[in-house]
Amino acid sequence: MVVRGRSMEPRLQDDDNIAVDYFQNTNIIDGKVYAIALDNEVFVKRLFKEVGSVRIVIDNPDKARYPDCTVPVGNGVVENYWVSGCC
C-alpha cells in the first residue's frame, strides 16, 4: 500500500510504501498503526480503543489541519468501518 498525504508525518511520509496484513484480526491494540476504511476510502492511522468508540489519532502535530476523530463501535466491531492489520 502507498501512503498518500501528510497526516501521519513524521512517522509515515507521502509516497511511503507500507505492508498491511489483511489477514490479521481486528483486535485493536492501543497506539498501533492500522489501515482503516471509512466511507469507501482507506486510511493509515493510529487507533485507540475507548468505551463505545475508537479514537483515530493523526501523528502530524498540526492538529488544526489534521484533527483526531472518534468513531462509534457496536458489539466489539467498528460499524461502517473496517480495520486491517497493523502496519
Side-chain angles (χ1 to χ4, degrees), residues 60-82:
N60 192 308
D62 184 355
K63 295 301 182 184
R65 187 168 183 185
Y66 302 103
D68 298 342
C69 67
T70 301
V71 295
V73 296
N75 299 323
V77 179
V78 180
E79 297 173 332
N80 302 318
Y81 308 94
W82 62 256

Side-chain angles (χ1 to χ4, degrees), residues 27-59:
N27 292 329
I28 295 168
I29 300 170
D30 283 346
K32 295 288 186 180
V33 176
Y34 293 89
I36 182 170
L38 304 159
D39 300 324
N40 297 320
E41 278 190 78
V42 178
F43 301 91
V44 178
K45 305 294 180 209
R46 190 172 305 282
L47 303 181
F48 292 86
K49 294 180 286 185
E50 296 183 344
V51 177
S53 64
V54 173
R55 185 167 35 106
I56 300 172
V57 175
I58 310 305
D59 282 2

